[in-house]
Amino acid sequence: MKKIVCMVALLASALLVEAAEPERPKIPRSRRQRRTAEQLGGRLMRPYTGKCVRIVNAQGRVAESVLREVSEEIMSATSVPVEVSATDKPSWSAERYKDAKTAAVVLVREADSSNTIIIAPENGWCEVNVKALAADSAAPDKVSERVKKELWRAIALMLGAGNSNYQPCLMTTILSLRDLDGVKQRQPCPEPYGKMSDTATRLGCAEAKHTTYKQACREGWAPPPTNDLQRAIWEETRKLPEKPIKIEFDPAKGK
């Protein structure tokens, strides 16, 4: 009994000491990382040659730039490699677009169906039906917003992420266009990202890694600079040394 009383007393003392200490201001890790990356010229996606999730654009109602915006958001948030391509064969089924470089297919089309998304996760494909998303004659910008949301949802569900445990979130039960419009979030909360990454790995995708512009310059694959900071880094990494290394012949060594 005495031991228990002593332990309780020690615990209470520790809590009082901790409560008495002033809380130190903390810079969120994501903000620190973003600030560091900006100082090094910003973040770039490394060149990638493995399998990817492919968004196939088979419609003309919504601009392809909308699909590319979502693909960049997904790569930035989950590190799942996503590519966008157009097709001149809109009547093809999603599975026909799969090849050795494609782990999973997202077919964006206009179909005579009331289904907004169709998902076959065990077969690695899904469809987003733009025509169904515009069934109520909504304005073009609202239809584009719906397409963005349904692209995120379709890919997340295909990659094993269902409704999030944390709400409000885009990954929630959607039973109507009104439900979809009622969700204010444009992309899922972070909780499903790990599931998406794990499933993409099971499908054969490697991690799409980021690095800094400065490191890309050092490795020799950085694109031309787009601002003064990148230009300074570009010039610095290409500057010739002021004192070049001299290679002198040593007769004793014969080289």
Side-chain angles (χ1 to χ4, degrees):
M1 177 63 77
K2 290 183 179 179
K3 290 183 179 180
I4 294 175
V5 173
C6 290
M7 290 177 63
V8 172
L10 288 171
L11 179 60
S13 299
L15 291 173
L16 287 172
V17 170
E18 184 178 353
E21 291 183 357
E23 184 177 355
R24 297 179 181 177
K26 296 180 180 179
I27 299 175
R29 183 182 177 187
S30 59
R31 193 189 305 170
R32 293 201 309 269
Q33 291 174 333
R34 185 166 59 251
R35 186 172 61 189
T36 301
E38 288 173 353
Q39 291 171 346
L40 295 175
R43 284 159 54 87
L44 292 175
M45 187 70 66
R46 286 185 175 276
Y48 178 76
T49 57
K51 284 187 175 183
C52 69
V53 173
R54 185 171 306 282
I55 298 175
V56 179
N57 185 19
Q59 57 81 49
R61 189 185 295 256
V62 173
E64 191 169 296
S65 59
V66 172
L67 313 186
R68 295 190 180 279
E69 181 181 340
V70 176
S71 74
E72 291 171 2
E73 289 176 355
I74 292 173
M75 286 193 288
S76 178
T78 69
S79 295
V80 172
V82 182
E83 293 185 7
V84 179
S85 60
T87 179
D88 57 357
K89 301 179 178 63
S91 61
W92 275 18
S93 64
E95 286 186 295
R96 294 188 65 179
Y97 293 101
K98 294 192 71 173
D99 54 33
K101 302 291 289 183
T102 304
V105 172
V106 189
L107 181 60
V108 184
R109 67 191 313 177
E110 294 186 72
D112 294 326
S113 169
S114 60
N115 296 319
T116 53
I117 57 176
I118 299 175
I119 304 160
E122 294 185 3
N123 300 99
W125 65 266
C126 62
E127 293 185 5
V128 175
N129 185 2
V130 179
K131 189 172 183 178
L133 291 171
D136 58 352
S137 301
D141 58 341
K142 176 167 280 192
V143 174
S144 295
E145 190 75 9
R146 290 172 177 175
V147 170
K148 287 181 182 180
K149 291 178 180 180
E150 289 294 62
L151 258 180
W152 255 108
R153 283 175 47 77
I155 294 175
L157 289 166
M158 181 178 61
L159 296 183
N163 289 1
S164 174
N165 292 327
Y166 298 91
Q167 296 295 333
C169 179
L170 183 57
M171 301 313 298
T172 188
T173 301
I174 300 292
L175 300 178
S176 66
L177 295 180
R178 185 174 181 179
D179 285 346
L180 185 62
D181 292 339
V183 178
K184 304 305 179 185
Q185 291 70 33
R186 296 185 178 182
Q187 67 184 63
C189 62
E191 189 263 343
Y193 294 168
K195 301 173 187 176
M196 295 172 68
S197 297
D198 290 345
T199 303
T201 300
R202 290 284 302 275
L203 289 170
C205 291
E207 183 179 0
K209 297 181 179 180
H210 288 83
T211 189
T212 63
Y213 186 80
K214 187 170 187 177
Q215 186 62 31
C217 285
R218 288 173 174 171
E219 295 177 4
W221 59 269
T226 58
N227 55 52
D228 291 340
L229 179 57
Q230 289 187 350
R231 193 170 294 107
I233 293 173
W234 174 280
E235 293 173 356
E236 178 189 352
T237 54
R238 282 163 172 72
K239 188 184 298 182
L240 294 175
E242 295 180 359
K243 296 181 179 180
I245 299 174
K246 294 182 179 180
I247 301 176
E248 298 181 357
F249 178 74
D250 188 345
K253 297 182 179 180
K255 58 180 179 179

